[in-house]
Amino acid sequence: MKKHIISPILGFFALSFFTACGDDDFNQTDFTHPVGGNQITLNCQSELDENKITWKADSKIGFFCEQTNSKNLTVGLAAPFVGKTEGVFYTKVVWKKGEQHTLYAYTPYNKSNVSEKSIAGTLSNSQSQNGVSKDHLTSSAITYSVVKTAEVADAIPMIFKHALGYLDLRCTTADKFVGWKIKSIELSTNDNTPLAGKYQFDMTTEKLSFTEGFDKIVLRTNNATEITANEAFHGYLSVNPIDLTDKKCNIKIIIEKAEELDRQLNGIVDGIRIEPSRINAMDINIDNLEAEFLEDQSIDLSKDETANCYVAGKAGQEYRFNATVMGNGATTPAGNSANYKGIIPTPLSPVSAAILWQSERNLLTGVKLKNDCIYFTLNGSKDIPLKPGNAVIAAYDANGIIVWSWHIWVTDVDLDAKAQTYTNIHKDYSAFPKFQSPVVMDRNLGATDNEIWTSATDSKGAHGLFYQWGRKDPIIGPSTESANAFATIYDGNNNLTSFDFTATELIKRDDIAKYPMKYIKGDNWFAEDAYDLWGNSAAYTANGGDGSVGSKSIYDPCPPGYRVPHPYIWSGFTSAAIGGKHKGGTVTTTASGDITKQGGVTFDNGGPVIYPSTGFINQGALQRVAPAGNGCISLWSNAGAKAKFSSQFYYDATNCNTPKANKRTFGFGVRCIRDIQK
C-alpha cells in the first residue's frame, strides 16, 4: 500500500443536508465495491466541537478531482453505513496510475457547482429548531475536506469540518419568565453586516464570502421546553463566521405560554467573535429585555369553513385552524340502502399535535395545539422565497393515538383565480342543471404546478397526491429522480420516514382516522361496502340518474370551498359515446399529443385544460406514471360504481373513460371542484 497524505481543511457534518436531484455518480443497489479497476473510495467523518456526527440515508457529497477529470460528481452513502460516524462513499472514478491526486469533497451537494473554487449555497435567514436539539444546524452547514494522495487500495480518510460559524443563544431568566417557552429569536446587526444569505466558498483557499447578505436572522422553535429559573435555553443558529466584538446586536425574542398573550422581548446585546467550525456562546438575560404584549397574528384558515385540507402560501406566516371538528363537520344523511349508512361527526378533543410527514425538511415549523387550534408557521421569510410542498399534521389523544389529521397544501398560487369553468359538459346531460358549468381547479390536489410532465420539469410537481377512494388521507406521489419511486418524506424532526405499503388489514368505520400513513392492499381498504364516504352521491349511471351530485362529507380531502368532483364533469372530453354514455369515445382535443410520449394531455373544455400523466398506486407500487412507460391519467370522482368499485376518470393512449369503474384500493389523484352547495 502506498503512503497517502491527509490534509484536513474545513468540512462538514452531514446529519440532514439536502438530497441531490439526480446525476448520481454511482447509484448501486448492493453497495459493494465497484467491479473493475481500482476505483477511488472515500471514508468520510464529520465532527463539530469534537463531537462525531452520524451519516443519514440520504447523505450525498460532491466530489472533484482534476487528475481524473472529475467535476462535481454526486456520490451517495453506502447503505451499511447509515447511522454511523464513518461513512463510506463509493465512486466509479479510477485512480490515474503513478500520480499524486488532490481530492475535494463537500456537502451539501449542489448540481450547479462547476468548480472546487466556487461552491455556491444559501444560508437561510429563517431557521428552525426542534426542542433543545442542535441537529438542525446540519441542514444549513457547508463543509468540505481536501486530501492529497497517490493511489491506495483502501478507502481514503476524509475529515469534514465546517466553514460556517454557529451561535448558541443562551437565554436565561431568574424568575420573571419561568414557565414560558421560547417561540422565536431574532438577531440583527445595525450596520448591514451579513449574518446569512447567498455565499461562495473556495475549497482551494478556504475563503467564504457572502455575495448577497441579510443583516437579520430568525430562529423558530418546535416543541420548546419551558424556561426554568437560572437554566439556559439554548437556541442554535448557523451564521456567517465574522467578528462582532466591537458591535452591538439587536435581539427580539417572542415567548409564549398557555392561556397568555404572546410577549415580545426587545433589547441590545454585545456582539462576539463568531469562529468557524465552532458553536460560539452568546449569553442573553431575558429579564433585562423590554417586554410588550402581542396579539395573535396568525391567520385562521378555518374561519369560514373547516376542512381536511388547508392551503397556505405566505412565507414565514403563522397560521391556525380549528382542531375540534372532523373535516367540514357535516352530517351525511343515511340513504335507502345499507351502502349509505350515513356519517355523523363527533367533536374532537386532542391533547397534542405534531407533523406526521412533510415533503421537504422544515416545510412547516412551530406546530402546536393551543386553545383548541393547531398552529404552524410556513418556511421562508420576507427575504427567502416560500418552499412549496405538502405536509400532514396529526392530532393525538392522551394515549398517543391519532384522532384526526389535516393536509397542509403549501403553495403561494391563487388557486381560486386559477380555477377553470368547464363549459362542454356533454349535451346528453343538458337536462341536469347541477352538472352544468362546474368550476374546477387547474391542478390536482396537492400539486405545486399545473405543467405537463417532461424531463425538464419537476416530475412530482404536477402530479399532486394520491388517495384511496373515500379516504381523507393523502399519499405522496412520485419522486423527481424516478417516476416509479415515491418521493422522500420527513417527520417533524426532519428525519426520513415513509408510508406503510404492506398493510392488508381492512380499516373499520371507527378507525378511519387512525392510520393516515397506511396504504391498504387488496380489493378494498374499508371493512364494509360504503358508497357515501365522499358524500351521498348516487352511483354513476350512463343516463345521469336523477342528476344528483352528492354533498361534501367529513372525509372529503379537498380544501374549504371545494369538494371531490361528481363523475360527470369529464363528459365533455369525449365527442362520441362508445360502450355506454361517455365511458369511452373520441377525444375532443389532445393538444399535447400522444400520452405515451408526452407527460399528459391538454383537453379543450372552455379553454385549455391540462391533465398531467398521474399514473396510480396499485398494491403499494407506483405504476404508469412516466409517459415513456405508457403513462395514464387516473382521477377519482365521489361516486360509487358497484361493490368495492368506484368511478374514476381514466385516459391513456387508447382510452378516454368518463368514467371507468375501479377498485377502491387503488391510489388515484383528485381534481377538486367548487362546492356548489355553498
Side-chain angles (χ1 to χ4, degrees):
M1 183 183 296
K2 297 181 180 179
K3 183 178 180 181
H4 59 269
I5 303 169
I6 302 174
S7 176
I9 315 202
L10 292 176
F12 176 70
F13 69 99
L15 184 55
S16 60
F17 48 81
F18 301 110
T19 304
C21 298
D23 306 320
D24 293 293
D25 174 50
F26 193 65
N27 186 16
Q28 59 190 71
T29 57
D30 61 0
F31 296 99
T32 59
H33 198 285
V35 177
N38 191 13
Q39 287 89 354
I40 297 175
T41 301
L42 309 176
N43 184 331
C44 301
Q45 298 184 54
S46 180
E47 61 183 26
L48 177 65
D49 282 353
E50 300 181 351
N51 296 314
K52 295 190 181 294
I53 309 301
T54 57
W55 294 89
K56 295 272 187 175
D58 58 342
S59 295
K60 294 187 179 181
I61 63 174
F63 177 77
F64 293 90
C65 179
E66 182 179 354
Q67 290 77 16
T68 61
N69 198 32
S70 304
K71 295 183 179 180
N72 200 36
L73 302 179
T74 172
V75 190
L77 177 70
F81 299 91
V82 173
K84 297 183 179 181
T85 59
E86 292 188 26
V88 173
F89 293 78
Y90 294 118
T91 80
K92 292 188 294 186
V93 179
V94 179
W95 290 102
K96 199 168 184 179
K97 298 291 184 181
E99 290 194 17
Q100 187 87 342
H101 294 65
T102 302
L103 311 178
Y104 297 90
Y106 75 95
T107 56
Y109 172 78
N110 185 337
K111 65 180 180 180
S112 66
N113 291 329
V114 297
S115 168
E116 64 273 22
K117 296 182 179 181
S118 183
I119 305 301
T122 299
L123 174 60
S124 177
N125 69 346
S126 177
Q127 301 175 25
S128 63
Q129 173 176 311
N130 190 59
V132 296
S133 173
K134 54 179 176 287
D135 291 349
H136 63 284
L137 298 177
T138 58
S139 64
S140 55
I142 171 71
T143 66
Y144 87 112
S145 182
V146 178
V147 170
K148 294 182 179 180
T149 179
E151 180 181 343
V152 297
D154 295 341
I156 299 297
M158 302 194 79
I159 306 299
F160 284 73
K161 296 183 180 179
H162 301 250
L164 294 175
Y166 305 97
L167 276 176
D168 176 6
L169 302 174
R170 302 193 299 196
C171 304
T172 58
T173 182
D175 54 22
K176 197 172 181 180
F177 299 111
V178 170
W180 287 73
K181 295 181 179 181
I182 301 287
K183 186 176 180 180
S184 66
I185 306 173
E186 181 185 291
L187 184 72
S188 62
T189 59
N190 292 316
D191 58 357
N192 297 319
T193 301
L195 298 174
K198 295 182 179 179
Y199 60 77
Q200 296 284 338
F201 188 71
D202 189 334
M203 289 193 288
T204 67
T205 64
E206 311 173 36
K207 299 293 186 182
L208 175 70
S209 59
F210 278 74
T211 58
E212 183 180 329
F214 307 121
D215 60 2
K216 179 176 70 177
I217 191 167
V218 62
L219 175 71
R220 298 187 179 98
T221 61
N222 299 307
N223 304 313
T225 57
E226 292 183 356
I227 308 171
T228 57
N230 302 313
E231 294 288 334
F233 172 85
H234 299 266
Y236 298 101
L237 278 169
S238 299
V239 294
N240 179 18
I242 52 176
D243 189 355
L244 298 174
T245 52
D246 295 329
K247 302 180 184 293
K248 298 289 186 178
C249 296
N250 303 310
I251 196 76
K252 183 188 297 181
I253 300 175
I254 296 177
I255 58 176
E256 61 183 354
K257 190 176 184 181
E259 311 302 328
E260 297 273 0
L261 290 175
D262 290 357
R263 297 187 189 183
Q264 180 173 298
L265 312 178
N266 305 300
I268 298 175
V269 295
D270 293 327
I272 62 171
R273 180 181 179 86
I274 305 171
E275 297 181 358
S277 199
R278 282 192 56 196
I279 298 178
N280 304 266
M282 178 181 284
D283 293 315
I284 304 169
N285 185 342
I286 62 175
D287 291 346
N288 296 332
L289 303 180
E290 235 179 78
E292 61 179 291
F293 291 98
L294 293 178
E295 297 293 337
D296 193 335
Q297 299 296 311
S298 64
I299 295 174
D300 186 359
L301 296 170
S302 58
K303 179 181 178 182
D304 298 321
E305 180 185 347
T306 59
N308 291 314
C309 169
Y310 294 106
V311 181
K314 186 177 181 181
Q317 174 66 48
E318 185 176 41
Y319 293 88
R320 73 181 188 275
F321 59 86
N322 190 330
T324 67
V325 181
M326 293 179 169
N328 66 338
T331 296
T332 299
N336 56 6
S337 76
N339 296 329
Y340 295 87
K341 290 184 177 181
I343 306 168
I344 301 175
T346 57
L348 300 172
S349 300
V351 300
S352 64
I355 294 173
L356 195 61
W357 67 265
Q358 52 188 337
S359 59
E360 303 282 349
R361 287 189 173 101
N362 296 317
L363 188 73
L364 310 181
T365 62
V367 175
K368 64 186 177 189
L369 180 68
K370 181 179 179 180
N371 300 329
D372 293 331
C373 288
I374 289 177
Y375 287 72
F376 67 91
T377 301
L378 290 191
N379 66 87
S381 66
K382 179 182 178 182
D383 305 304
I384 302 295
L386 179 75
K387 182 165 49 179
N390 294 276
V392 170
I393 298 174
Y396 301 83
D397 65 14
N399 297 317
I401 296 173
I402 294 175
V403 297
W404 208 260
S405 56
W406 294 266
H407 164 214
I408 308 301
W409 187 358
V410 181
T411 176
D412 57 4
V413 174
D414 187 340
L415 298 174
D416 287 332
K418 292 281 188 178
Q420 301 169 302
T421 301
Y422 289 8
T423 59
N424 296 336
I425 303 301
H426 203 279
K427 63 183 180 180
D428 289 344
Y429 297 124
S430 60
F432 303 116
K434 290 185 177 181
F435 290 0
Q436 309 307 309
S437 303
V439 180
V440 187
M441 283 190 176
D442 76 328
R443 66 198 63 204
N444 295 343
L445 179 55
T448 54
D449 64 56
N450 66 340
E451 297 179 359
I452 287 181
W453 189 93
T454 71
S455 58
T457 62
D458 183 354
S459 62
K460 71 179 178 182
H463 288 83
L465 302 170
F466 292 97
Y467 296 81
Q468 294 186 291
W469 188 89
R471 298 188 70 179
K472 67 181 183 66
D473 304 306
I475 303 169
I476 198 69
S479 70
T480 57
E481 297 180 354
S482 172
N484 291 320
F486 291 98
T488 302
I489 57 173
Y490 307 90
D491 62 19
N493 295 322
N494 293 316
N495 296 318
L496 290 170
T497 189
S498 62
F499 291 90
D500 180 1
F501 291 105
T502 66
T504 57
E505 183 177 355
L506 302 185
I507 296 176
K508 298 178 180 178
R509 185 174 287 267
D510 292 342
D511 296 332
I512 287 179
K514 292 181 180 179
Y515 309 106
M517 296 190 71
K518 281 190 177 183
Y519 170 94
I520 310 300
K521 299 171 67 175
D523 291 338
N524 201 357
W525 64 271
F526 197 41
E528 57 188 80
D529 189 30
Y531 280 50
D532 57 358
L533 292 178
W534 279 347
N536 54 355
S537 177
Y540 172 81
T541 60
N543 62 9
D546 62 1
S548 65
V549 296
S551 59
K552 189 173 183 178
S553 78
I554 65 170
Y555 301 122
D556 190 295
C558 294
Y562 292 86
R563 52 170 294 188
V564 178
H566 61 81
Y568 305 98
I569 71 166
W570 302 287
S571 64
F573 288 6
T574 58
S575 58
I578 299 176
K581 280 191 177 178
H582 318 299
K583 288 186 177 180
T586 304
V587 179
T588 57
T589 302
T590 56
S592 49
D594 189 343
I595 196 171
T596 63
K597 298 178 182 179
Q598 304 285 338
V601 176
T602 301
F603 296 99
D604 183 14
N605 200 302
V609 178
I610 295 174
Y611 277 74
S613 174
T614 56
F616 50 80
I617 305 174
N618 180 22
Q619 302 302 313
L622 282 168
Q623 296 181 3
R624 301 186 66 182
V625 175
N630 190 22
C632 68
I633 299 165
S634 303
L635 298 167
W636 281 124
S637 79
N638 68 343
K642 56 184 178 179
K644 302 179 182 179
F645 284 72
S646 286
S647 299
Q648 65 162 132
F649 169 56
Y650 179 81
Y651 181 96
D652 65 13
T654 57
N655 301 282
C656 185
N657 300 128
T658 62
K660 173 183 173 69
N662 228 321
K663 293 180 180 179
R664 298 171 189 171
T665 189
F666 275 87
F668 296 149
V670 170
R671 184 70 65 102
C672 302
I673 66 169
R674 190 77 51 79
D675 189 357
I676 61 174
Q677 308 298 327
K678 292 292 180 182

